Amino acid sequence: MAAEQQQAGGSVWTRPQRPRREQPALSREQIVAAAMELLDAEGIDALSMRKLGTRLNAGATSMYSHVANKDELIELVVDEVYGEIATQDPAEASDWRTEVTTVAQSLRQAFLRHPWIASVLGQVGMSSLGPNLLRLSEQMIGALETAGFSLAEAERGMNTVSSYVVGLASTEAAWLTVLARSGQSQQEWVDAFWPAALQAVQAFPRLSRLYAAQSEGFDVDSNRVDSFSDGLECILDGLEARLRRAAE
Amino acid sequence: MAAEQQQAGGSVWTRPQRPRREQPALSREQIVAAAMELLDAEGIDALSMRKLGTRLNAGATSMYSHVANKDELIELVVDEVYGEIATQDPAEASDWRTEVTTVAQSLRQAFLRHPWIASVLGQVGMSSLGPNLLRLSEQMIGALETAGFSLAEAERGMNTVSSYVVGLASTEAAWLTVLARSGQSQQEWVDAFWPAALQAVQAFPRLSRLYAAQSEGFDVDSNRVDSFSDGLECILDGLEARLRRAAE
DNA sequence: ACGCCCTTGCGCACACTGTGCGGAGCGCCG
DNA sequence: CGGCGCTCCGCACAGTGTGCGCAAGGGCGT
């Protein structure tokens, strides 16, 4: 610490180098950005106000002038994640399916870029009403409404799609978090866990067959993205069906 | 504390009432059950090992003989929640759609009975491989496979449905948690938040129309269950479509 | 029958958390 | 130039998960 400085000098100059009002030295944006870095680098457990403070060359409680709570801070960071997703230019009006698919894929990838978000969504919920989330909602509802759905139908469709994306991406992200915490490579982790999984599953015939089939190697990652796209298209098929049904 | 007892008596009798080996006095099941009670009653923030200990007339660290971690404890409680869902008797082989729907609805209701689960799923993931979760997976895959899907298709279908259920129920449960923490009634909370929501949304035309339409009252709860069932049927429609497509 | 060991529960302690409070430095307005 | 207010920070408090070592008995070897 700076203990020796305090002992050497008087209390007058102990921290003269603190550049008080040249610029506020701490801003909401900086805090949110630093929190995002910390979360991406070390995960949710490493985010403490003290660590965030030191990373900003500030005290532990200095952020409370700009942010009410740790919870509010987290809400802000979450919306920042949503902010990474660009809304499409409405000029290039493409197929509604590709438009919805684009948003969904971007959302998934944003979640996988910031896996800590899974551990946080259950506390913050989608209820935070941050501007970026609202923007995404507006776009998706817009795509569905111009496709021919009523406004209420469009909202339900959006809820269905986004629930699917959030649910699946959360599971994936949680898995990534566990993986990261274990410190092993993906292959190591799978190898280590596979026997236990096989044994846990052996009382269930279909799961056993499934796991056995998956044993004879296949690419885990590519299967995952296929699986995501497949489920998404399944939902879109369901939506398209009711669109056609309404048109007749 | 029991300080005066120690001062008054010798250290010999300070805790003679502890019934050492008459019965183990603490079991995994008891611990999990008590944790569930505590979680249901006071939510995730109230679950600490100390509180759990006092509730079991035990010390704070006495559970660590039966449970490795707090995390492991939470995994156990989560699987206990899945355990509340009964698997259907395979004898009465009904329509695959109603079978899947039954599981999905039960899952949703279990989540809403224990809203704290939302804040926990992102840390534990579905990756815990607890026996009850496996049982549910087996049933759902079974329903899909006997309906005519291949094993791999059945797994993907299950993933799609369960991701949807988990995602949506998590959002709802998170909302319930926020509501409970606020201490207000649902109506009070909505009334208090509505102006802010309207203002946040006013930059987005479609969301504004949507919220305005929802302002002229309708039953929030019934709309929610309708919305859930609607999205679920949408997914099932999509699945059924590929079943028919494969049959041709 | 007696003494030893080994399991099991628990008190203590440590490092760490979020955050309320009061004070201190600085810029700005009157 | 004096007072006000906004930021920033050190301190302190209550509370957390959990590692460590001790104590108390039941079960077993002799």
Side-chain angles (χ1 to χ4, degrees):
Chain A
M1 277 304 178
E4 64 272 6
Q5 289 191 4
Q6 292 200 1
Q7 289 170 3
S11 71
V12 181
W13 65 271
T14 44
R15 216 181 312 93
Q17 66 272 26
R18 172 152 55 103
R20 227 31 186 293
R21 277 310 137 69
E22 26 180 76
Q23 64 221 15
L26 221 50
S27 74
R28 232 170 133 104
E29 289 80 15
Q30 276 185 22
I31 295 176
V32 171
M36 177 91 81
E37 283 177 31
L38 196 54
L39 284 168
D40 287 343
E42 308 188 43
I44 184 71
D45 294 335
L47 178 67
S48 75
M49 302 307 270
R50 283 162 169 63
K51 261 191 202 139
L52 193 56
T54 39
R55 178 174 275 251
L56 287 164
N57 293 110
T61 62
S62 299
M63 283 87 69
Y64 284 87
S65 320
H66 304 261
V67 161
N69 260 347
K70 192 185 183 186
D71 286 346
E72 186 183 291
L73 172 61
I74 289 182
E75 283 186 23
L76 291 173
V77 186
V78 168
D79 201 66
E80 197 74 7
V81 170
Y82 292 132
E84 290 179 2
I85 304 171
T87 36
Q88 210 161 3
D89 190 357
E92 39 171 301
S94 51
D95 184 14
W96 67 274
R97 288 186 65 127
T98 69
E99 198 169 348
V100 170
T101 304
T102 304
V103 176
Q105 297 272 11
S106 311
L107 190 56
R108 186 182 102 106
Q109 280 173 11
F111 274 38
L112 296 187
R113 258 197 311 273
H114 310 286
W116 48 266
I117 209 174
S119 15
V120 146
L121 271 189
Q123 305 174 34
V124 155
M126 310 270 286
S127 61
S128 56
L129 287 183
N132 284 310
L133 179 57
L134 290 181
R135 179 174 51 85
L136 292 178
S137 305
E138 174 80 10
Q139 162 158 32
M140 206 149 158
I141 289 186
L144 291 175
E145 201 188 15
T146 57
F149 289 99
S150 81
L151 190 59
E153 287 168 338
E155 191 215 8
R156 291 192 165 190
M158 183 202 72
N159 277 337
T160 306
V161 172
S162 68
S163 292
Y164 167 70
V165 176
V166 168
L168 194 132
S170 293
T171 306
E172 291 184 86
W175 190 79
L176 280 186
T177 303
V178 171
L179 186 68
R181 185 153 26 185
S182 83
Q184 297 172 315
S185 87
Q186 175 171 305
Q187 191 58 48
E188 285 171 346
W189 196 89
V190 169
D191 289 346
F193 228 64
W194 203 251
L198 281 182
Q199 207 217 329
V201 129
Q202 73 184 2
F204 305 98
R206 276 173 253 257
L207 290 175
S208 294
R209 268 193 289 142
L210 190 65
Y211 276 49
Q214 288 182 177
S215 283
E216 37 217 47
F218 71 145
D219 188 1
V220 186
D221 283 323
S222 73
N223 179 64
R224 257 219 310 281
V225 341
D226 287 354
S227 174
F228 172 75
S229 305
D230 191 53
L232 183 59
E233 282 193 24
C234 175
I235 295 178
L236 295 183
D237 286 348
L239 285 174
E240 193 171 340
R242 31 198 77 190
L243 196 58
R244 270 201 307 270
R245 214 176 304 151
E248 292 169 3
Chain B
M1 279 300 178
E4 64 274 4
Q5 288 192 4
Q6 292 201 0
Q7 290 169 2
S11 70
V12 181
W13 68 270
T14 43
R15 217 182 312 92
Q17 66 274 23
R18 172 152 57 101
R20 228 27 189 293
R21 279 307 141 70
E22 30 180 74
Q23 64 223 13
L26 222 50
S27 73
R28 233 170 134 104
E29 290 80 16
Q30 276 185 22
I31 295 176
V32 171
M36 177 90 81
E37 284 176 31
L38 195 53
L39 284 168
D40 287 343
E42 309 188 44
I44 184 72
D45 294 334
L47 178 67
S48 75
M49 301 307 270
R50 283 161 168 65
K51 263 191 202 139
L52 193 56
T54 38
R55 178 175 276 251
L56 288 164
N57 293 111
T61 62
S62 299
M63 282 88 68
Y64 284 88
S65 319
H66 304 257
V67 161
N69 261 346
K70 192 185 184 186
D71 286 347
E72 186 183 290
L73 172 62
I74 289 182
E75 284 185 24
L76 291 173
V77 186
V78 167
D79 200 66
E80 197 73 8
V81 170
Y82 292 132
E84 291 179 1
I85 304 172
T87 35
Q88 211 159 4
D89 190 357
E92 38 172 302
S94 52
D95 185 13
W96 67 273
R97 288 186 65 128
T98 68
E99 199 170 347
V100 171
T101 303
T102 303
V103 176
Q105 297 273 9
S106 310
L107 191 55
R108 185 182 103 104
Q109 280 173 11
F111 275 39
L112 297 187
R113 257 197 313 272
H114 310 286
W116 47 267
I117 209 173
S119 17
V120 145
L121 271 189
Q123 305 174 34
V124 156
M126 309 270 286
S127 61
S128 56
L129 289 183
N132 284 310
L133 179 57
L134 290 180
R135 179 174 51 86
L136 292 177
S137 305
E138 175 80 10
Q139 162 159 32
M140 206 149 156
I141 289 187
L144 291 174
E145 202 188 14
T146 56
F149 289 100
S150 80
L151 191 58
E153 288 169 337
E155 190 213 9
R156 290 192 166 190
M158 182 202 72
N159 276 337
T160 307
V161 172
S162 68
S163 292
Y164 166 70
V165 176
V166 168
L168 194 133
S170 294
T171 306
E172 291 183 86
W175 191 79
L176 279 187
T177 303
V178 171
L179 186 69
R181 186 153 24 189
S182 82
Q184 297 171 315
S185 87
Q186 175 172 304
Q187 192 57 48
E188 285 171 347
W189 196 88
V190 169
D191 289 347
F193 228 64
W194 202 251
L198 280 181
Q199 206 217 330
V201 127
Q202 74 183 2
F204 305 98
R206 275 173 253 259
L207 290 175
S208 293
R209 268 194 288 140
L210 189 65
Y211 276 50
Q214 289 182 175
S215 282
E216 37 216 47
F218 70 144
D219 188 1
V220 186
D221 284 322
S222 73
N223 179 65
R224 257 218 309 282
V225 340
D226 286 355
S227 174
F228 172 74
S229 305
D230 192 54
L232 183 59
E233 281 193 26
C234 174
I235 294 178
L236 296 184
D237 286 349
L239 285 174
E240 192 170 342
R242 29 198 79 189
L243 198 58
R244 269 201 306 270
R245 214 177 303 151
E248 293 167 3

